[in-house]
Amino acid sequence: MSGHDVLGLGVMSGGAEREPDCVAAIHEEDGTGRWLYPATAPLFPVWRVADRAVYAIEMRPPDARLIAIDTATGDTRCRSGWFTGTPADLVVTDAAAFLRTTDHHLYAVDPGDGRVLWDRPGITRSPTVANGRVFLVENARRLAVVEPASGEDRWPGKPGKGVLLAGPFVTDRTVCTVGHDGLTARNAETGRVIARHAMSLNPDCRGVPALVDGVLYFTNGRREVEAIALG
């Protein structure tokens, strides 16, 4: 049979008002079901697909756990242990799956067997994975860079002077953050500051910067769009 599968979360019974409690694969051409994975607990509405697996989060408040489901068969690849905390976001790579909670605790989970590789408190923004490393914002002030498998810190250093409002944004050679004092660009390997740029973000949500093809676009305090090429 040609075509691809459409993957998504769903409810097995009880109507659309219920929380998702299954993951389903449906053939895109004829709508036939390929497989159905019944979760053992309600599913958090954030999920990812990577390395031929669906990564979803089962919820048993106040606890949550990560599950990985094979996209071809619907079989369970792995389940993590239960974490305490409400999920905030999920990032999945070949090396690890990163589950962050609303109380700013980050868990790195082995995508093969579900075991916790390491965990770290005080992570106030979603992790950014680039160049084989994980870029983290600690306590809204410090940019940390760690190894995905071990959590080893590659840039030991002190917190910055201001609150980081956005980022990190990573190119091949540069990592940038945006704070109250503007944009700071650092060498992606060493963490050394290489440039600063004064910028004033628009305080509403339209001012959130976006990185596209090495250019950072943002709406400034005058509601004008600015662009900065990151070297």
Side-chain angles (χ1 to χ4, degrees):
M1 184 181 292
S2 61
H4 301 281
D5 293 336
V6 177
L7 304 168
L9 306 186
V11 294
M12 297 183 66
S13 62
E17 297 302 318
R18 288 172 53 94
E19 294 180 341
D21 59 6
C22 67
V23 182
I26 301 173
H27 197 276
E28 67 172 352
E29 291 186 351
D30 57 22
T32 57
R34 297 294 299 272
W35 51 260
L36 178 71
Y37 179 91
T40 62
L43 295 172
F44 191 70
V46 173
W47 56 287
R48 300 286 183 264
V49 178
D51 191 28
R52 298 184 297 277
V54 178
Y55 291 84
I57 303 169
E58 291 183 326
M59 295 289 299
R60 286 181 179 171
D63 299 327
R65 73 174 176 184
L66 186 68
I67 58 174
I69 306 157
D70 191 285
T71 56
T73 64
D75 294 333
T76 304
R77 279 199 185 179
C78 69
R79 291 187 180 95
S80 73
W82 291 95
F83 308 110
T84 298
T86 302
D89 46 53
L90 175 64
V91 175
V92 180
T93 70
D94 292 341
F98 302 96
L99 173 63
R100 191 175 68 95
T101 65
T102 55
D103 61 355
H104 308 314
H105 207 111
L106 182 71
Y107 297 91
V109 178
D110 189 307
D113 58 19
R115 63 190 173 89
V116 176
L117 298 171
W118 51 270
D119 65 284
R120 194 165 182 143
I123 304 304
T124 46
R125 301 193 65 85
S126 178
T128 298
V129 182
N131 304 334
R133 291 180 176 177
V134 186
F135 295 79
L136 305 172
V137 174
E138 282 189 331
N139 301 312
R141 291 180 178 273
R142 176 178 178 257
L143 179 63
V145 182
V146 304
E147 296 294 334
S150 65
E152 181 183 359
D153 201 325
R154 308 305 300 180
W155 288 1
K158 298 179 180 180
K161 295 180 180 179
V163 173
L164 299 181
L165 303 175
F169 305 97
V170 185
T171 66
D172 289 341
R173 301 181 301 277
T174 307
V175 53
C176 297
T177 53
V178 177
H180 288 304
D181 56 350
L183 180 144
T184 300
R186 299 176 182 273
N187 182 289
E189 287 296 321
T190 65
R192 180 178 60 86
V193 174
I194 55 178
R196 297 187 188 274
H197 183 88
M199 57 188 288
S200 174
L201 291 182
N202 185 8
D204 64 27
C205 63
R206 288 171 292 178
V208 175
L211 179 63
V212 181
D213 296 330
V215 179
L216 187 69
Y217 299 89
F218 65 96
T219 305
N220 63 28
R222 300 182 300 277
R223 300 183 182 273
E224 301 167 335
V225 176
E226 292 190 38
I228 302 174
L230 305 182

